[in-house]
Every structure is written in C-alpha cells, then in structure tokens.
C-alpha cells in the first residue's frame, strides 16, 4: 500500500470518474492539487506547473516500477526505465519514428491505408466513427510502424485495448488480467512470425530498427507492446473525438486540422495520466512523500488548468495550446508524437471530411475513461 504522510485525502466515485473525470479533477485542482486518492491508491498531481516541473525529476519520481501493472503484464519497456537505460532504447527506436521518417516514409502509407478504409466506408452512408473509421485507420498505420503487418486491424485494436485495460486494472479484476495476458501472447506470436522476414529484409519498422540496433529480444517485445498500447488507442480516440468536436462546433475546422488536433488533445486528453513511483523520501510540489508512494501525473487535469488556459472547459481551436502537455513534458515525452500528429491532423481528419460529403452526427456520442479517454461511439451519416 502507498504510504502517504502529508497529502490530503480526496475520495472519488470510480464509476463517475470513468464517465467524466473533469469535474472531479477541477475540484481537486482547486482544493487539493496534490492529493491521495484511496480508490486509486495513489497521490495525484493535477496542476500543470507542478507536473511540468516534477516530471523531469526522474531521480525522485521514477518511471521504474518493477511491481507495477505495466511491467508485470507487458514487460519492462522504455517507459518504465530512466536515464541511460531509457535513452539507449529510445535511440534504438528513433529511426522508425523520427519526424523525417514520418514525413518521407510513413505519411504516404498512412494516406494509402486511410483511402482504402474510406473506399469501403463511403457507399454505406452511415457508420460509427470509432469502430468503422478511426479504429481501422489507426490500426493499419500501427501495423506498418510496428512491422506486425501479419496482424489484422481488429486484432490490433483488441490487443491494444486489452493491455490498456490491464494496465488500468487497479482493482485487480482477474478477468481483465487474463484478457491482458491473452493479448500479450497474441503479440508475441505475431512477432515470432514476422522476425524471419525482418531479419532477412530490414526496413524502417519498429521491430526491424530495434533488431538492427541489437536490443535484447525481451526489450524488443516489451517496446512493441508499449507502442501498440498507446499507438492504437490514442490516435483512434483522437481521430473520432476530434471529428466529433468539429461536428458539434460548426466552423471550428477553419482554424486548420493541426489546430483542431492540438486543441482536442488539450481539451480531452487521450492520454490522461502517467504513473510514477517515489524513488526516495522527498518533497513533491510542496508535499513530503515517502519512498514507494505511487504518483499519478494527471495530464488531463494539467491541460485544463485555469491558471494556464482561459475557459479551459471550452473547445476553441483558435487558442494558443503551446502550454498543453498531451504527450508529456520530460524525458519520457511520447516518442510517437510526430507519427500521431501526422496520422491524425495530416491524414485521417482532412481525408474524412473531404471524402464523406455532408458528414453529420446521427445520434449522441458517448465518452469514457480517465487514464486513457476517448469516445466509445460516434454515430454519423453522410450523403451517398
């Protein structure tokens, strides 16, 4: 159990928090910006200034969590390493995800795959944007980036969601854990099937570049799982969610798709939290915390901090979002940020609205999640 000596206790309703965390986070931010939440057995940091400063103190707020859910379920990936170990694996992966590689290699593939999805979708006239567009577009991009081209889109989405649910399974539900293990086993099997081709014909996929860099197989497997866990749900949720935001805010697309994506990622952060663990007794954001205390950096709260953003609960693509931290702020800044931005703002959103004439909502959208947040369903229709 987490030992907390100074952080005030702040109780939450887990079901309500999953449905919409923002009212609770706003109250926490105003009254207890560093608070122990017993339902999560963690101390939550909610102010942008605190998170931006403390995330960089890796000697205090460590990413290493040997007994953490992600490490136990997925292996020790680069997100669960600090310092030289983290940077070594990040450098090994860089050739697959560099801005130049994204621009020259992945963007044409993203466009081709999105066009294929739209070709199948356009004659229907109606769809769920999450299931029928955002999911396959994100999955096809991720298949190419990871190198797991032998995995179909539905399985990519399934294994990603299974790992996400497993890593957020703080209540210890055995069924969720079993599903997560099944998903990681599927990924391992697909990696094993692809390795001979990757070794014989190196390419720019994550699997290939990490193999070429000489990473141990356990590190390669863990990092492929990391890429899938964040690289499927975040673009999927941001594509469908940003499209919904534009459809519910007429004229907002005039700000440009880059601005739409940046504001959506601030307003409804697809990655709402990053966990850390106290490496030693120390003071965090003015609060003494003991070694071993679990700390959640609440990016979703930071991106709606009223000390930083005017009318933070309002979707406004014309605002300056440079202070937002949807991809983190420290040495663990998301390695896939360039690929995500290119896929969502450069491909998925503009192609969707260009191809489907008269795109409009066909019912109410539903959202869920707090560690990872996005739409569950976005029903739409268009002219055929």
């Amino acid at each position: 159990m987490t030992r907390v000596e100074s952080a005030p206790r702040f109780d939450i309703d887990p079901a309500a928090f999953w449905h919409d965390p923002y009212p609770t986070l706003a109250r926490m931010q105003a009254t207890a910006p560093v608070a122990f939440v017993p339902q999560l057995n963690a101390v939550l940091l909610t102010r942008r200034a605190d998170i931006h400063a403390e995330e960089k103190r890796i000697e205090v707020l460590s990413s290493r969590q040997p007994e953490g859910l992600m490490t136990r379920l997925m292996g020790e990936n680069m997100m669960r390493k600090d310092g030289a170990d983290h940077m070594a694996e990040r450098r090994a992966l860089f050739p697959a995800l560099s801005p130049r590689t994204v621009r020259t290699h992945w963007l044409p593939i993203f466009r081709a795959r999105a066009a294929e999805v739209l070709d199948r979708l356009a004659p229907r006239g109606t769809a769920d944007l999450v299931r029928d567009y955002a999911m396959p577009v994100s999955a096809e991009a991720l298949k190419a980036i990871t190198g797991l081209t032998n995995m179909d889109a539905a399985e990519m989405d399934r294994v990603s969601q299974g790992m996400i649910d497993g890593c957020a399974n703080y209540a210890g539900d055995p069924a969720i854990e079993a599903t997560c293990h099944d998903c990681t086993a599927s990924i391992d099997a697909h990696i094993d099937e692809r390795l001979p081709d990757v070794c014989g014909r190196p390419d720019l996929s994550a699997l290939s570049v990490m193999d070429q860099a000489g990473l141990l197989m356990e590190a390669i497997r863990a990092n492929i799982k990391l890429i899938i866990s964040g690289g499927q749900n975040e673009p999927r949720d941001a594509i469908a969610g940003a499209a919904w935001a534009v459809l519910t805010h007429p004229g907002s697309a005039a700000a440009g798709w880059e601005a739409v994506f940046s504001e959506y990622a601030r307003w409804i952060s697809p990655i709402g939290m990053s966990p850390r663990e106290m490496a030693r007794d120390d003071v965090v954001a003015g609060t003494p915390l003991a070694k071993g205390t679990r700390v959640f950096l609440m990016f979703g709260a930071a991106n709606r901090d009223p000390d930083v953003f005017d009318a933070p609960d309002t979707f406004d693509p014309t605002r300056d979002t440079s202070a937002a931290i949807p991809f983190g702020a420290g040495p663990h800044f998301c390695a896939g940020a360039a690929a995500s931005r290119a896929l969502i703002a450069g491909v998925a959103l503009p192609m969707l609205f260009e191809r489907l004439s008269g795109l409009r909502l066909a019912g109410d959208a539903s959202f869920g999640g707090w560690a990872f947040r996005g739409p569950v369903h976005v029903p739409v229709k268009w002219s055929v």
Side-chain angles (χ1 to χ4, degrees), residues 155-174:
E155 180 66 358
M156 182 65 78
D157 192 68
R158 185 188 80 87
V159 298
S160 175
Q161 193 63 54
M163 290 190 296
I164 289 167
D165 292 342
C167 292
N169 185 26
Y170 297 109
D173 186 323

Side-chain angles (χ1 to χ4, degrees), residues 37-374:
V37 177
Q39 292 79 13
L40 303 176
N41 191 31
V43 171
L44 275 58
L45 270 61
T46 54
R47 286 183 179 166
R48 192 266 182 194
D50 293 339
I51 294 171
H52 190 264
E54 298 293 349
E55 186 178 14
K56 300 177 178 66
R57 299 176 65 211
I58 59 174
E59 72 282 3
V60 176
L61 285 172
S62 176
S63 295
R64 292 186 180 277
Q65 298 167 30
E67 300 304 317
L69 285 171
M70 177 177 280
T71 303
R72 290 196 292 106
L73 295 170
M74 295 165 53
E76 191 177 36
N77 56 55
M78 69 176 71
M79 191 176 175
R80 289 295 168 261
K81 297 179 180 180
D82 286 320
D85 291 341
H86 167 75
M87 288 308 301
E89 294 187 11
R90 195 178 182 97
R91 282 194 296 269
L93 182 60
F94 182 74
L97 297 174
S98 73
R100 180 177 180 179
T101 300
V102 170
R103 183 174 62 255
T104 62
H105 185 73
W106 297 126
L107 260 179
I109 295 173
F110 292 169
R111 292 191 181 104
R113 298 297 177 268
E116 292 169 359
V117 174
L118 285 166
D119 284 344
R120 296 193 298 268
L121 198 59
R124 291 172 44 178
T126 184
D128 174 359
L129 272 185
V130 179
R131 180 193 63 216
D132 300 321
Y133 181 67
M135 185 277 279
V137 166
S138 180
E140 291 297 336
L142 192 55
K143 285 168 56 178
I145 287 175
T146 59
L148 299 189
T149 51
N150 54 337
M151 182 180 287
D152 66 35
E155 180 66 358
M156 182 65 78
D157 192 68
R158 185 188 80 87
V159 298
S160 175
Q161 193 63 54
M163 290 190 296
I164 289 167
D165 292 342
C167 292
N169 185 26
Y170 297 109
D173 186 323
I176 292 175
E177 182 172 341
T179 297
C180 184
H181 286 308
D182 178 72
C183 291
T184 58
S186 174
I187 295 169
D188 284 333
H190 284 84
I191 290 173
D192 291 341
E193 186 177 28
R194 284 286 292 136
L195 275 174
D197 286 341
V198 165
C199 293
R201 291 184 292 274
D203 56 29
L204 285 170
S205 70
L207 183 59
S208 182
V209 301
M210 287 191 289
D211 177 68
Q212 293 173 66
L215 288 191
L216 295 176
M217 185 49 60
E218 63 183 18
I220 293 175
R221 292 183 189 278
N223 285 317
I224 290 292
K225 291 166 188 170
L226 170 66
I227 295 167
I228 293 173
S229 69
Q232 170 64 7
N233 73 294
E234 186 271 333
R236 178 198 68 201
D237 294 348
I239 291 166
W244 168 83
V246 168
L247 293 172
T248 53
H249 297 78
S252 58
W257 295 114
E258 284 280 349
V260 166
F261 169 62
S262 295
E263 171 64 352
Y264 178 79
R266 178 207 67 81
W267 184 49
I268 300 180
S269 302
I271 301 173
M273 179 275 284
S274 184
R276 298 290 188 270
E277 186 173 297
M278 292 293 293
R280 68 188 190 210
D281 292 355
D282 211 309
V283 177
V284 173
T287 303
L289 298 177
K291 179 180 178 179
T293 298
R294 186 162 58 185
V295 179
F296 290 170
L297 307 178
M298 302 301 293
F299 296 149
N303 290 330
R304 291 199 184 195
D305 190 333
D307 289 340
V308 181
F309 303 102
D310 292 333
D313 296 331
T314 300
F315 176 74
D316 178 10
T318 66
R319 81 164 75 237
D320 179 1
T321 59
S322 59
I325 50 173
F327 293 107
H332 286 278
F333 179 83
C334 178
S340 179
R341 189 173 294 276
L343 174 64
I344 299 163
V347 174
L349 289 173
M351 288 182 67
L352 173 69
F353 281 85
E354 288 165 9
R355 181 67 184 277
L356 302 184
S357 176
L359 185 65
R360 57 201 184 275
L361 291 174
D364 294 332
S366 58
F367 284 71
W370 59 271
F372 298 92
R373 182 161 182 81

